[in-house]
Amino acid sequence: EFVRMARYQFPSLKLIVVTYDTTREALALLFEYGVDHIVTKPVSVDTLIEKIAGIITPQTKFNKLVHDARCHLEQGSFDKVLTVCHAIDDHKGKNPISHMLRGEALQRNGAVNEAVEEFEKAHQTAPQYLEPLKKLVDAHRSGDPERHLDYMLRLDTISPLNVERKCEIGKHLVRKNDMDTAKDYFVKAVQFAQEEAKRYFCAIIADI
């Protein structure tokens, strides 16, 4: 919850989570909420400083180009974003990151259909990459309900601990009159919410 609130309030904030071994599903949820990097304990101070430095200041040409494109995106310089994307492709070939950056630039500039095409290309290039799926879910939220549900199910397969999405999938299935499957999603949503509440409760007790 803290990660989600921090990302929402400060979109450009760099977030690194230091944690003990955890599940793949929990890691996927953290990345879905916008974590830039995850460091697993035990970790030396030198390694931690190196990871932080790498997140704050990109060390490779590819990362620097991506950083420049995101800066142009935040400034509203959409033509410059597309120019940098060409440079990214020249450096690394067609890749999901450049498709995502193009898509976001086109979306913010009002070219919604072209943006969705770029998000779809990013998803096809890297099916396990969460960001294109999140964009495709949002793009079809008020449009095609079948495609909206399909992309939510794909996203849920990769990151299954998202309680809000479990509920949204359940509601879609209710509208399709698939009550048994909807119930399964609602039960899992309640289960995950209870587990999260237990962790929050334990944290409060430990603090007290």
Side-chain angles (χ1 to χ4, degrees):
E1 188 60 24
F2 169 78
V3 167
R4 184 163 55 173
M5 288 175 58
R7 175 58 70 212
Y8 176 77
Q9 293 178 3
F10 306 99
S12 60
L13 190 70
K14 300 299 182 183
L15 292 172
I16 299 177
V17 171
V18 182
T19 180
Y20 290 105
D21 286 337
T22 185
T23 64
R24 184 189 66 83
E25 292 80 8
L27 294 177
L29 187 63
L30 286 170
F31 279 118
E32 185 178 351
Y33 283 162
V35 168
D36 294 287
H37 197 76
I38 293 176
V39 178
T40 304
K41 294 181 180 180
V43 58
S44 69
V45 174
D46 289 344
T47 300
L48 186 58
I49 291 173
E50 182 182 338
K51 297 293 185 183
I52 293 172
I55 293 295
I56 295 173
T57 305
Q59 302 298 309
T60 66
K61 181 179 179 180
F62 173 74
N63 288 339
K64 288 178 181 176
L65 287 170
V66 172
H67 179 265
D68 290 344
R70 285 177 175 156
C71 288
H72 292 317
L73 190 64
E74 293 305 315
Q75 294 166 2
S77 303
F78 304 126
D79 290 339
K80 291 182 179 178
V81 175
L82 299 179
T83 300
V84 176
C85 285
H86 285 303
I88 293 173
D89 291 339
D90 290 340
H91 177 68
K92 200 166 184 175
K94 290 289 184 180
N95 62 89
I97 302 294
S98 63
H99 284 306
M100 284 298 299
L101 290 166
R102 279 195 193 89
E104 290 191 49
L106 290 165
Q107 186 179 48
R108 296 192 190 189
N109 207 25
V112 177
N113 292 334
E114 291 88 341
V116 171
E117 289 178 7
E118 290 296 330
F119 297 145
E120 183 61 49
K121 289 176 183 176
H123 173 54
Q124 291 172 358
T125 305
Q128 297 297 307
Y129 184 23
L130 292 169
E131 292 305 313
L133 281 171
K134 288 165 62 178
K135 289 291 186 181
L136 289 165
V137 166
D138 289 338
H140 294 291
R141 192 177 301 279
S142 57
D144 186 338
E146 290 298 325
R147 295 189 71 183
H148 182 218
L149 177 60
D150 177 53
Y151 286 123
M152 280 200 297
L153 290 171
R154 295 188 202 185
L155 192 52
D156 188 70
T157 300
I158 302 169
S159 178
L161 300 184
N162 189 308
V163 172
E164 291 83 1
R165 182 167 55 247
K166 280 278 193 291
C167 290
E168 192 171 1
I169 291 172
K171 292 173 185 176
H172 266 272
L173 293 168
V174 167
R175 287 192 287 270
K176 289 167 63 79
N177 205 33
D178 187 353
M179 298 303 182
D180 290 337
T181 312
K183 181 180 177 182
D184 290 340
Y185 278 93
F186 290 141
V187 167
K188 289 177 182 176
V190 172
Q191 177 188 339
F192 295 153
Q194 287 173 334
E195 290 173 0
E196 185 62 31
K198 287 177 184 176
R199 285 191 286 270
Y200 179 60
F201 177 73
C202 290
I204 291 175
I205 294 299
D207 184 54
I208 292 171

PDB file of all heavy atoms in Angstrom, residues 83-108:
ATOM      1  N   THR A  83      11.671  10.943 -31.656  1.00  0.00           N
ATOM      2  CA  THR A  83      13.034  10.989 -32.185  1.00  0.00           C
ATOM      3  C   THR A  83      13.966  10.114 -31.360  1.00  0.00           C
ATOM      4  O   THR A  83      14.781   9.349 -31.905  1.00  0.00           O
ATOM      5  CB  THR A  83      13.555  12.438 -32.186  1.00  0.00           C
ATOM      6  OG1 THR A  83      12.706  13.246 -33.014  1.00  0.00           O
ATOM      7  CG2 THR A  83      14.981  12.496 -32.727  1.00  0.00           C
ATOM      8  N   VAL A  84      13.842  10.202 -30.038  1.00  0.00           N
ATOM      9  CA  VAL A  84      14.684   9.383 -29.162  1.00  0.00           C
ATOM     10  C   VAL A  84      14.339   7.898 -29.332  1.00  0.00           C
ATOM     11  O   VAL A  84      15.223   7.038 -29.277  1.00  0.00           O
ATOM     12  CB  VAL A  84      14.532   9.815 -27.689  1.00  0.00           C
ATOM     13  CG1 VAL A  84      15.326   8.890 -26.767  1.00  0.00           C
ATOM     14  CG2 VAL A  84      14.997  11.250 -27.498  1.00  0.00           C
ATOM     15  N   CYS A  85      13.068   7.594 -29.552  1.00  0.00           N
ATOM     16  CA  CYS A  85      12.668   6.192 -29.773  1.00  0.00           C
ATOM     17  C   CYS A  85      13.355   5.613 -31.005  1.00  0.00           C
ATOM     18  O   CYS A  85      13.747   4.436 -31.012  1.00  0.00           O
ATOM     19  CB  CYS A  85      11.151   6.089 -29.915  1.00  0.00           C
ATOM     20  SG  CYS A  85      10.266   6.241 -28.347  1.00  0.00           S
ATOM     21  N   HIS A  86      13.502   6.422 -32.055  1.00  0.00           N
ATOM     22  CA  HIS A  86      14.243   5.962 -33.236  1.00  0.00           C
ATOM     23  C   HIS A  86      15.686   5.655 -32.865  1.00  0.00           C
ATOM     24  O   HIS A  86      16.263   4.656 -33.332  1.00  0.00           O
ATOM     25  CB  HIS A  86      14.199   7.028 -34.336  1.00  0.00           C
ATOM     26  CG  HIS A  86      12.877   7.121 -35.037  1.00  0.00           C
ATOM     27  ND1 HIS A  86      12.294   6.040 -35.682  1.00  0.00           N
ATOM     28  CD2 HIS A  86      12.023   8.163 -35.211  1.00  0.00           C
ATOM     29  CE1 HIS A  86      11.139   6.409 -36.210  1.00  0.00           C
ATOM     30  NE2 HIS A  86      10.945   7.694 -35.922  1.00  0.00           N
ATOM     31  N   ALA A  87      16.276   6.498 -32.014  1.00  0.00           N
ATOM     32  CA  ALA A  87      17.651   6.269 -31.574  1.00  0.00           C
ATOM     33  C   ALA A  87      17.748   4.986 -30.737  1.00  0.00           C
ATOM     34  O   ALA A  87      18.725   4.237 -30.843  1.00  0.00           O
ATOM     35  CB  ALA A  87      18.148   7.466 -30.768  1.00  0.00           C
ATOM     36  N   ILE A  88      16.726   4.729 -29.914  1.00  0.00           N
ATOM     37  CA  ILE A  88      16.697   3.493 -29.117  1.00  0.00           C
ATOM     38  C   ILE A  88      16.645   2.279 -30.031  1.00  0.00           C
ATOM     39  O   ILE A  88      17.366   1.291 -29.836  1.00  0.00           O
ATOM     40  CB  ILE A  88      15.495   3.497 -28.151  1.00  0.00           C
ATOM     41  CG1 ILE A  88      15.665   4.578 -27.082  1.00  0.00           C
ATOM     42  CG2 ILE A  88      15.336   2.125 -27.497  1.00  0.00           C
ATOM     43  CD1 ILE A  88      14.447   4.767 -26.184  1.00  0.00           C
ATOM     44  N   ASP A  89      15.805   2.350 -31.067  1.00  0.00           N
ATOM     45  CA  ASP A  89      15.692   1.234 -32.018  1.00  0.00           C
ATOM     46  C   ASP A  89      17.000   1.019 -32.769  1.00  0.00           C
ATOM     47  O   ASP A  89      17.401  -0.123 -33.025  1.00  0.00           O
ATOM     48  CB  ASP A  89      14.551   1.486 -33.001  1.00  0.00           C
ATOM     49  CG  ASP A  89      13.182   1.417 -32.337  1.00  0.00           C
ATOM     50  OD1 ASP A  89      13.083   0.800 -31.266  1.00  0.00           O
ATOM     51  OD2 ASP A  89      12.227   1.982 -32.891  1.00  0.00           O
ATOM     52  N   ASP A  90      17.665   2.118 -33.148  1.00  0.00           N
ATOM     53  CA  ASP A  90      18.946   2.003 -33.852  1.00  0.00           C
ATOM     54  C   ASP A  90      19.991   1.343 -32.961  1.00  0.00           C
ATOM     55  O   ASP A  90      20.843   0.584 -33.439  1.00  0.00           O
ATOM     56  CB  ASP A  90      19.442   3.396 -34.287  1.00  0.00           C
ATOM     57  CG  ASP A  90      18.594   3.983 -35.402  1.00  0.00           C
ATOM     58  OD1 ASP A  90      17.901   3.208 -36.093  1.00  0.00           O
ATOM     59  OD2 ASP A  90      18.621   5.222 -35.578  1.00  0.00           O
ATOM     60  N   HIS A  91      19.904   1.620 -31.651  1.00  0.00           N
ATOM     61  CA  HIS A  91      20.895   1.093 -30.717  1.00  0.00           C
ATOM     62  C   HIS A  91      20.618  -0.364 -30.350  1.00  0.00           C
ATOM     63  O   HIS A  91      21.544  -1.168 -30.239  1.00  0.00           O
ATOM     64  CB  HIS A  91      20.911   1.951 -29.450  1.00  0.00           C
ATOM     65  CG  HIS A  91      21.833   1.458 -28.384  1.00  0.00           C
ATOM     66  ND1 HIS A  91      23.206   1.465 -28.523  1.00  0.00           N
ATOM     67  CD2 HIS A  91      21.590   0.909 -27.154  1.00  0.00           C
ATOM     68  CE1 HIS A  91      23.766   0.968 -27.436  1.00  0.00           C
ATOM     69  NE2 HIS A  91      22.808   0.620 -26.595  1.00  0.00           N
ATOM     70  N   LYS A  92      19.329  -0.696 -30.183  1.00  0.00           N
ATOM     71  CA  LYS A  92      18.993  -2.022 -29.651  1.00  0.00           C
ATOM     72  C   LYS A  92      18.008  -2.801 -30.504  1.00  0.00           C
ATOM     73  O   LYS A  92      17.600  -3.902 -30.149  1.00  0.00           O
ATOM     74  CB  LYS A  92      18.431  -1.865 -28.237  1.00  0.00           C
ATOM     75  CG  LYS A  92      18.498  -3.135 -27.407  1.00  0.00           C
ATOM     76  CD  LYS A  92      18.268  -2.870 -25.941  1.00  0.00           C
ATOM     77  CE  LYS A  92      18.437  -4.130 -25.134  1.00  0.00           C
ATOM     78  NZ  LYS A  92      18.330  -3.909 -23.686  1.00  0.00           N
ATOM     79  N   GLY A  93      17.573  -2.249 -31.610  1.00  0.00           N
ATOM     80  CA  GLY A  93      16.557  -2.910 -32.409  1.00  0.00           C
ATOM     81  C   GLY A  93      15.177  -2.699 -31.808  1.00  0.00           C
ATOM     82  O   GLY A  93      15.031  -2.091 -30.749  1.00  0.00           O
ATOM     83  N   LYS A  94      14.149  -3.177 -32.497  1.00  0.00           N
ATOM     84  CA  LYS A  94      12.783  -3.018 -32.000  1.00  0.00           C
ATOM     85  C   LYS A  94      12.655  -3.707 -30.643  1.00  0.00           C
ATOM     86  O   LYS A  94      13.039  -4.864 -30.491  1.00  0.00           O
ATOM     87  CB  LYS A  94      11.786  -3.634 -32.989  1.00  0.00           C
ATOM     88  CG  LYS A  94      11.638  -2.862 -34.292  1.00  0.00           C
ATOM     89  CD  LYS A  94      10.910  -1.549 -34.085  1.00  0.00           C
ATOM     90  CE  LYS A  94      10.678  -0.829 -35.410  1.00  0.00           C
ATOM     91  NZ  LYS A  94       9.966   0.456 -35.223  1.00  0.00           N
ATOM     92  N   ASN A  95      12.113  -2.981 -29.682  1.00  0.00           N
ATOM     93  CA  ASN A  95      12.016  -3.528 -28.327  1.00  0.00           C
ATOM     94  C   ASN A  95      10.776  -2.961 -27.642  1.00  0.00           C
ATOM     95  O   ASN A  95      10.239  -1.920 -28.061  1.00  0.00           O
ATOM     96  CB  ASN A  95      13.276  -3.197 -27.532  1.00  0.00           C
ATOM     97  CG  ASN A  95      13.473  -1.710 -27.355  1.00  0.00           C
ATOM     98  OD1 ASN A  95      12.982  -1.128 -26.388  1.00  0.00           O
ATOM     99  ND2 ASN A  95      14.159  -1.057 -28.296  1.00  0.00           N
ATOM    100  N   PRO A  96      10.295  -3.626 -26.581  1.00  0.00           N
ATOM    101  CA  PRO A  96       9.037  -3.185 -25.948  1.00  0.00           C
ATOM    102  C   PRO A  96       9.123  -1.799 -25.314  1.00  0.00           C
ATOM    103  O   PRO A  96       8.118  -1.093 -25.245  1.00  0.00           O
ATOM    104  CB  PRO A  96       8.784  -4.267 -24.888  1.00  0.00           C
ATOM    105  CG  PRO A  96      10.108  -4.918 -24.660  1.00  0.00           C
ATOM    106  CD  PRO A  96      10.819  -4.855 -25.972  1.00  0.00           C
ATOM    107  N   ILE A  97      10.308  -1.398 -24.855  1.00  0.00           N
ATOM    108  CA  ILE A  97      10.432  -0.097 -24.201  1.00  0.00           C
ATOM    109  C   ILE A  97      10.148   1.032 -25.187  1.00  0.00           C
ATOM    110  O   ILE A  97       9.401   1.970 -24.884  1.00  0.00           O
ATOM    111  CB  ILE A  97      11.845   0.084 -23.590  1.00  0.00           C
ATOM    112  CG1 ILE A  97      12.138  -1.029 -22.586  1.00  0.00           C
ATOM    113  CG2 ILE A  97      11.960   1.452 -22.939  1.00  0.00           C
ATOM    114  CD1 ILE A  97      11.273  -1.011 -21.364  1.00  0.00           C
ATOM    115  N   SER A  98      10.739   0.960 -26.373  1.00  0.00           N
ATOM    116  CA  SER A  98      10.499   2.026 -27.357  1.00  0.00           C
ATOM    117  C   SER A  98       9.043   2.032 -27.813  1.00  0.00           C
ATOM    118  O   SER A  98       8.455   3.098 -28.042  1.00  0.00           O
ATOM    119  CB  SER A  98      11.435   1.870 -28.560  1.00  0.00           C
ATOM    120  OG  SER A  98      11.203   0.667 -29.261  1.00  0.00           O
ATOM    121  N   HIS A  99       8.430   0.841 -27.940  1.00  0.00           N
ATOM    122  CA  HIS A  99       7.001   0.793 -28.284  1.00  0.00           C
ATOM    123  C   HIS A  99       6.157   1.462 -27.192  1.00  0.00           C
ATOM    124  O   HIS A  99       5.211   2.208 -27.483  1.00  0.00           O
ATOM    125  CB  HIS A  99       6.545  -0.656 -28.467  1.00  0.00           C
ATOM    126  CG  HIS A  99       6.985  -1.269 -29.758  1.00  0.00           C
ATOM    127  ND1 HIS A  99       6.731  -0.688 -30.988  1.00  0.00           N
ATOM    128  CD2 HIS A  99       7.652  -2.428 -30.027  1.00  0.00           C
ATOM    129  CE1 HIS A  99       7.216  -1.456 -31.950  1.00  0.00           C
ATOM    130  NE2 HIS A  99       7.782  -2.516 -31.390  1.00  0.00           N
ATOM    131  N   MET A 100       6.503   1.205 -25.941  1.00  0.00           N
ATOM    132  CA  MET A 100       5.763   1.810 -24.829  1.00  0.00           C
ATOM    133  C   MET A 100       5.908   3.326 -24.827  1.00  0.00           C
ATOM    134  O   MET A 100       4.930   4.064 -24.636  1.00  0.00           O
ATOM    135  CB  MET A 100       6.246   1.236 -23.496  1.00  0.00           C
ATOM    136  CG  MET A 100       5.747  -0.157 -23.187  1.00  0.00           C
ATOM    137  SD  MET A 100       3.947  -0.227 -23.049  1.00  0.00           S
ATOM    138  CE  MET A 100       3.665   0.883 -21.668  1.00  0.00           C
ATOM    139  N   LEU A 101       7.122   3.812 -25.037  1.00  0.00           N
ATOM    140  CA  LEU A 101       7.358   5.255 -25.040  1.00  0.00           C
ATOM    141  C   LEU A 101       6.623   5.918 -26.205  1.00  0.00           C
ATOM    142  O   LEU A 101       6.012   6.982 -26.036  1.00  0.00           O
ATOM    143  CB  LEU A 101       8.854   5.538 -25.117  1.00  0.00           C
ATOM    144  CG  LEU A 101       9.650   5.189 -23.851  1.00  0.00           C
ATOM    145  CD1 LEU A 101      11.145   5.172 -24.136  1.00  0.00           C
ATOM    146  CD2 LEU A 101       9.329   6.180 -22.736  1.00  0.00           C
ATOM    147  N   ARG A 102       6.667   5.294 -27.377  1.00  0.00           N
ATOM    148  CA  ARG A 102       5.901   5.820 -28.509  1.00  0.00           C
ATOM    149  C   ARG A 102       4.411   5.850 -28.179  1.00  0.00           C
ATOM    150  O   ARG A 102       3.715   6.829 -28.458  1.00  0.00           O
ATOM    151  CB  ARG A 102       6.111   4.945 -29.750  1.00  0.00           C
ATOM    152  CG  ARG A 102       7.376   5.210 -30.528  1.00  0.00           C
ATOM    153  CD  ARG A 102       7.299   4.556 -31.911  1.00  0.00           C
ATOM    154  NE  ARG A 102       8.602   4.543 -32.535  1.00  0.00           N
ATOM    155  CZ  ARG A 102       9.504   3.581 -32.405  1.00  0.00           C
ATOM    156  NH1 ARG A 102       9.227   2.528 -31.638  1.00  0.00           N
ATOM    157  NH2 ARG A 102      10.664   3.637 -33.008  1.00  0.00           N
ATOM    158  N   GLY A 103       3.941   4.742 -27.618  1.00  0.00           N
ATOM    159  CA  GLY A 103       2.515   4.661 -27.283  1.00  0.00           C
ATOM    160  C   GLY A 103       2.083   5.745 -26.310  1.00  0.00           C
ATOM    161  O   GLY A 103       1.041   6.375 -26.493  1.00  0.00           O
ATOM    162  N   GLU A 104       2.889   5.973 -25.274  1.00  0.00           N
ATOM    163  CA  GLU A 104       2.534   7.004 -24.295  1.00  0.00           C
ATOM    164  C   GLU A 104       2.551   8.393 -24.917  1.00  0.00           C
ATOM    165  O   GLU A 104       1.694   9.231 -24.613  1.00  0.00           O
ATOM    166  CB  GLU A 104       3.487   6.925 -23.105  1.00  0.00           C
ATOM    167  CG  GLU A 104       3.278   5.680 -22.248  1.00  0.00           C
ATOM    168  CD  GLU A 104       4.040   5.758 -20.938  1.00  0.00           C
ATOM    169  OE1 GLU A 104       3.944   6.790 -20.254  1.00  0.00           O
ATOM    170  OE2 GLU A 104       4.736   4.789 -20.604  1.00  0.00           O
ATOM    171  N   ALA A 105       3.546   8.648 -25.784  1.00  0.00           N
ATOM    172  CA  ALA A 105       3.604   9.950 -26.459  1.00  0.00           C
ATOM    173  C   ALA A 105       2.390  10.149 -27.357  1.00  0.00           C
ATOM    174  O   ALA A 105       1.762  11.220 -27.352  1.00  0.00           O
ATOM    175  CB  ALA A 105       4.892  10.055 -27.271  1.00  0.00           C
ATOM    176  N   LEU A 106       2.034   9.130 -28.129  1.00  0.00           N
ATOM    177  CA  LEU A 106       0.867   9.220 -29.017  1.00  0.00           C
ATOM    178  C   LEU A 106      -0.426   9.375 -28.216  1.00  0.00           C
ATOM    179  O   LEU A 106      -1.308  10.157 -28.566  1.00  0.00           O
ATOM    180  CB  LEU A 106       0.794   7.969 -29.897  1.00  0.00           C
ATOM    181  CG  LEU A 106       1.886   7.843 -30.961  1.00  0.00           C
ATOM    182  CD1 LEU A 106       1.923   6.418 -31.514  1.00  0.00           C
ATOM    183  CD2 LEU A 106       1.651   8.850 -32.084  1.00  0.00           C
ATOM    184  N   GLN A 107      -0.535   8.631 -27.111  1.00  0.00           N
ATOM    185  CA  GLN A 107      -1.733   8.697 -26.278  1.00  0.00           C
ATOM    186  C   GLN A 107      -1.918  10.095 -25.703  1.00  0.00           C
ATOM    187  O   GLN A 107      -3.010  10.666 -25.749  1.00  0.00           O
ATOM    188  CB  GLN A 107      -1.634   7.669 -25.161  1.00  0.00           C
ATOM    189  CG  GLN A 107      -2.895   7.549 -24.309  1.00  0.00           C
ATOM    190  CD  GLN A 107      -2.729   6.494 -23.229  1.00  0.00           C
ATOM    191  OE1 GLN A 107      -1.735   6.456 -22.518  1.00  0.00           O
ATOM    192  NE2 GLN A 107      -3.715   5.609 -23.111  1.00  0.00           N
ATOM    193  N   ARG A 108      -0.848  10.666 -25.161  1.00  0.00           N
ATOM    194  CA  ARG A 108      -0.941  12.004 -24.574  1.00  0.00           C
ATOM    195  C   ARG A 108      -1.180  13.081 -25.626  1.00  0.00           C
ATOM    196  O   ARG A 108      -1.687  14.155 -25.326  1.00  0.00           O
ATOM    197  CB  ARG A 108       0.325  12.322 -23.783  1.00  0.00           C
ATOM    198  CG  ARG A 108       0.544  11.414 -22.580  1.00  0.00           C
ATOM    199  CD  ARG A 108       1.637  11.935 -21.682  1.00  0.00           C
ATOM    200  NE  ARG A 108       2.010  10.964 -20.665  1.00  0.00           N
ATOM    201  CZ  ARG A 108       2.823  11.220 -19.652  1.00  0.00           C
ATOM    202  NH1 ARG A 108       3.368  12.436 -19.537  1.00  0.00           N
ATOM    203  NH2 ARG A 108       3.114  10.286 -18.776  1.00  0.00           N
TER     204      ARG A 108
END
